[in-house]
Amino acid sequence: DQQVKQNSPSLSVQEGRISILNCDYTNSMFDYFLWYKKYPAEGPTFLISISSIKDKNEDGRFTVFLNKSAKHLSLHIVPSQPGDSAVYFCAAKFAGGGADGLTFGKGTHLIIQP
Amino acid sequence: DGGITQSPKYLFRKEGQNVTLSCEQNLNHDAMYWYRQDPGQGLRLIYYSQIVNDFQKGDIAEGYSVSREKKESFPLTVTSAQKNPTAFYLCASSITDRVNSPLHFGNGTRLTVT
């Protein structure tokens, strides 16, 4: 049973526009959420995170929104750039849990078109 | 430059042979992890270690073994008992004394078993 779901395997966005990647979770005990970005044949790199006590966290072009009642989070990238083309993984962890408690979604492949 | 080094990048083995994947970090992180990624799948935790000479099974430990004799090294052995060993293997590390510290990943080893 998948606890973290990224229902869009791929997303195509025009350069300069907004990219919105979505993530849903089923376990209300998750209290911390992270987004990782992964290029082919490389390891994922940490992008941005959000605690359940917040509903928004912003870092430059990247903003993560959390809707706890809907068990939904989204990553917004504005404006989208060619280097943003990658696979994005959503991950969640339980309160007090270490990184061993990270649960990953299957990823969304973002393609930025010129 | 601090980071995580995984070697080799590509590895080919015959079915029935054990193979060991190397992971070294110079980030002075206490915790280290092994994940497996299959096409269209999220990252699944194989083993993790929070401290030297101690390690714990993750979600899919069957057919794998690890050791943690040194803080900077966490090799993974894929044994012949692993039914589907062909995959992309990722090693990661994190700081354990900081809540919600993100994982830092290596660039992975792609193992192909024929």
Side-chain angles (χ1 to χ4, degrees):
Chain A
D1 183 31
Q2 227 188 330
Q3 297 189 74
V4 177
K5 300 178 186 179
Q6 293 178 258
N7 292 320
S8 299
S10 66
L11 176 67
S12 184
V13 174
Q14 202 166 10
E15 182 178 354
R17 300 284 184 107
I18 182 171
S19 294
I20 300 176
L21 294 93
N22 293 303
C23 179
D24 297 294
Y25 61 96
T26 58
N27 196 325
S28 56
M29 297 300 290
F30 287 137
D31 81 329
Y32 195 75
F33 304 89
L34 307 93
W35 284 94
Y36 284 84
K37 174 181 178 179
K38 184 182 179 302
Y39 292 119
E42 292 185 10
T45 54
F46 169 71
L47 197 55
I48 193 169
S49 62
I50 188 166
S51 165
S52 60
I53 62 173
K54 295 186 175 183
D55 55 17
K56 177 182 174 182
N57 188 26
E58 197 171 349
D59 184 1
R61 295 186 298 114
F62 303 91
T63 303
V64 55
F65 295 92
L66 175 62
N67 182 334
K68 282 190 297 182
S69 61
K71 296 194 183 72
H72 176 84
L73 63 155
S74 60
L75 174 68
H76 293 213
I77 306 173
V78 185
S80 300
Q81 298 175 353
D84 296 331
S85 294
V87 177
Y88 290 79
F89 289 100
C90 172
K93 67 187 287 283
F94 298 108
D100 56 284
L102 269 182
T103 301
F104 285 86
K106 292 186 177 183
T108 296
H109 184 194
L110 176 64
I111 302 160
I112 305 301
Q113 294 185 334
Chain B
D1 267 346
I4 299 176
T5 302
Q6 289 187 245
S7 60
K9 194 169 180 68
Y10 299 96
L11 193 51
F12 298 88
R13 278 294 182 270
K14 294 284 188 190
E15 197 173 317
Q17 293 179 334
N18 291 358
V19 59
T20 298
L21 282 61
S22 168
C23 177
E24 304 278 330
Q25 56 101 357
N26 60 4
L27 299 166
N28 200 33
H29 286 174
D30 287 308
M32 296 187 75
Y33 313 82
W34 275 104
Y35 284 87
R36 168 183 173 140
Q37 186 192 9
D38 294 284
Q41 299 293 318
L43 280 64
R44 293 183 292 168
L45 182 65
I46 304 172
Y47 266 99
Y48 64 98
S49 168
Q50 303 275 38
I51 196 169
V52 173
N53 291 325
D54 186 53
F55 47 83
Q56 306 295 330
K57 291 182 179 179
D59 300 321
I60 54 166
E62 186 175 346
Y64 299 99
S65 65
V66 293
S67 64
R68 186 86 188 277
E69 296 175 4
K70 298 185 295 183
K71 185 176 184 178
E72 58 270 21
S73 179
F74 192 41
L76 173 75
T77 297
V78 185
T79 75
S80 56
Q82 167 48 234
K83 292 184 177 16
N84 297 296
T86 295
F88 188 54
Y89 290 88
L90 286 159
C91 179
S93 69
S94 71
I95 301 169
T96 52
D97 59 358
R98 193 159 24 125
V99 176
N100 293 330
S101 67
L103 296 176
H104 296 258
F105 284 90
N107 280 334
T109 292
R110 183 164 296 282
L111 173 65
T112 303
V113 176
T114 58

